[in-house]
Amino acid sequence: MTDQVEATLAYAEQFHQEDEILHAARQRGLEMGAVPVLPGAGAALCFLATAVNAKAVVEIGTGCGVSGLWLLRGMRADGTLTSVDVEPEHQRLARQAYAEAGFSGARVRLISGRALDVLPRLSDGGYDMVFADGAKQEYADYLAEAVRLLRVGGIVAFDNMLWHNRVADPAQRDPDTVALRELGKLVQSDERLRSVLMPLGDGLLAAVKVSA
Ligand SMILES: C[S@@+](CC[C@H](N)C(=O)[O-])C[C@H]1O[C@@H](n2cnc3c(N)ncnc32)[C@H](O)[C@@H]1O
Ligand SMILES: [Mg+2]
């Protein structure tokens, strides 16, 4: 990396500094193997939740709460984050992080279970935003559920869409990379969606649902 690129990245990073609460949640996530969103993607989630005035958000992959904190900070003060994870211990630590940040239990509905078992139980069109950071090979199924769950004007976002520079490299053909590449094509070709791939963190793909 050239000095100029490094200086540019350092300059950009100033726009998404994390406080001590986020830092502590990030450390717990890394220790538990629930790899948190990078700060740039977190800041983008906060921005998007604010932009859609989000009252109801679904998160797939609670982890230890880093992305949830960023989302909650962007959502309306009366909003509820519904977050799904298959690991109860990750969710216990996420709940600790939300409490440390001052978010009451009423602001967060944590559902323990596999995403594709839980999501079909949530109601159509009732959500302003869906954020996916669970099993990469299930992203296409999450997309179908997200389009069903979102109101028109709502936003779906997917983390890790660059997957550590593997997605853009056609020589990389492992199942996760292939699934992420396919998801990118699916989103781009869906006429109900208007999308942008933001090279923040490990790549955040966001799409607005423009029609039912
Ligand atoms: C990358 S971590 C999430 C990190 C979190 N979004 C954050 O920024 O702090 C992925 C999480 O998804 C959960 N997970 C993996 N497969 C899942 C599935 N099929 N259904 C629900 N949760 C799943 C894991 O237990 C893990 O906590
Ligand atoms: Mg991720």
Side-chain angles (χ1 to χ4, degrees), residues 35-37 61-63 65-67 85-87 90 113-115 133-135 138:
V35 182
V37 292
T62 314
V66 172
S67 49
D85 203 295
V86 77
E87 289 287 345
H90 294 176
R114 300 194 69 78
D133 193 19
E138 294 184 351

Side-chain angles (χ1 to χ4, degrees), residues 100-177:
E100 285 170 0
F103 294 108
S104 74
R107 295 287 313 276
V108 186
R109 175 168 59 145
L110 293 182
I111 304 178
S112 176
R114 300 194 69 78
L116 295 178
D117 294 334
V118 173
L119 295 173
R121 306 206 301 256
L122 305 180
S123 55
D124 291 13
Y127 294 89
D128 305 300
M129 187 165 167
V130 175
F131 169 57
D133 193 19
K136 306 313 166 201
Q137 290 174 49
E138 294 184 351
Y139 268 24
D141 297 313
Y142 300 165
L143 174 65
E145 282 297 316
V147 171
R148 181 184 68 76
L149 292 168
L150 287 172
R151 65 168 167 84
V152 171
I155 287 179
V156 58
F158 292 87
D159 192 38
N160 303 107
M161 289 301 294
L162 296 176
W163 206 226
H164 320 294
N165 302 315
R166 298 175 72 84
V167 172
D169 176 359
Q172 306 297 329
R173 309 194 63 82
D174 62 278
D176 284 349
T177 302

Side-chain angles (χ1 to χ4, degrees), residues 47 55 63 105-106 152 180:
F47 170 84
K55 186 170 183 193
V152 171
L180 293 168

